[in-house]
């Protein structure tokens, strides 16, 4: 979406607040290497989007469809991602410090070598997710569905 590439995040957020009823569809968009820190992307369809190497620190992605999206090496520190669909996502090497993923679907996602310091995964679906090389000791996992995790976790 050229709007996100050509506008400041503040301008985009102002526009987004005035147009909350619009169902934005960014499916398949390349949003790699962008500074989207603090962006209001809640409720947006981003199926198959490329967010690799992007800064999404403090972004609001609540109730967004992010299935099959690529977040490799992205900064998602303190992002809000509750109720989001992240089925089959790649979050490999992403920084998820303090990210809230409560009630999110991460089924079959690749979280290998990501940072999960104080990450909230309460009641999330982590079935068949790959956590190879991940220290999960400070992540909040209460009631998370952890069937068939692919570990090798630290």
């Amino acid at each position: 979406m050229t709007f996100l590439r050509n506008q400041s995040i503040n301008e985009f957020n102002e526009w987004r607040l005035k147009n909350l009823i619009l169902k934005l569809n960014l499916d398949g968009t390349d949003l790699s290497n962008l500074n989207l820190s603090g962006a209001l992307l809640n409720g947006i369809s981003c199926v198959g989007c490329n967010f690799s190497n992007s800064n999404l620190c403090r972004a609001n992605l609540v109730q967004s469809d992010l299935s099959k999206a690529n977040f490799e090496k992205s900064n998602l520190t303190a992002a809000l991602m509750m109720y989001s669909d992240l089925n089959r996502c790649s979050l490999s090497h992403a920084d998820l410090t303090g990210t809230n993923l409560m009630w999110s679907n991460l089924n079959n996602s690749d979280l290998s070598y990501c940072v999960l310091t104080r990450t909230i995964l309460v009641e999330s679906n982590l079935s068949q997710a790959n956590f190879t090389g991940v220290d999960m000791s400070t992540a909040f996992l209460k009631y998370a569905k952890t069937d068939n995790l692919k570990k090798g976790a630290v």
Side-chain angles (χ1 to χ4, degrees):
M1 177 178 214
T2 57
F3 194 79
L4 276 172
R5 289 193 177 278
N6 297 331
Q7 302 294 316
S8 74
I9 292 302
N10 288 337
E11 290 172 316
F12 173 79
N13 287 346
E14 285 178 27
W15 176 86
R16 182 76 176 122
L17 287 171
K18 292 175 186 172
N19 295 282
L20 283 174
I21 61 169
L22 292 178
K23 289 287 188 184
L24 296 183
N25 184 325
L26 301 178
D27 293 353
T29 302
D30 182 6
L31 298 169
S32 61
N33 301 299
L34 292 180
N35 182 1
L36 300 172
S37 179
L40 298 177
L41 301 170
N42 49 308
I44 294 177
S45 182
C46 295
V47 176
C49 280
N50 182 8
F51 290 101
S52 63
N53 297 297
S54 288
N55 181 4
L56 290 145
C57 180
R58 295 180 316 281
N60 183 337
L61 294 151
V62 173
Q63 293 184 323
S64 294
D65 187 351
L66 304 164
S67 52
K68 300 179 185 173
N70 179 2
F71 289 97
E72 290 180 11
K73 299 180 182 174
S74 289
N75 179 0
L76 289 153
T77 302
L80 299 175
M81 301 176 84
M82 295 88 72
Y83 297 103
S84 292
D85 187 356
L86 292 128
N87 183 43
R88 298 187 185 279
C89 274
S90 178
L91 292 146
S92 179
H93 299 278
D95 187 349
L96 297 161
T97 300
T99 300
N100 191 337
L101 289 152
M102 188 180 281
W103 303 295
S104 292
N105 178 21
L106 290 139
N107 183 52
N108 282 300
S109 289
D110 180 7
L111 290 99
S112 59
Y113 305 100
C114 72
V115 178
L116 290 180
T117 306
R118 298 180 319 277
T119 303
I120 302 168
L121 292 157
V122 175
E123 293 193 39
S124 293
N125 180 2
L126 306 175
S127 297
Q128 300 180 11
N130 181 0
F131 285 94
T132 301
V134 176
D135 179 359
M136 299 173 76
S137 64
T138 63
F140 301 99
L141 296 162
K142 191 171 185 176
Y143 304 119
K145 185 176 180 183
T146 56
D147 303 337
N148 301 314
L149 285 183
K150 298 169 192 154
K151 290 190 193 174
V154 176

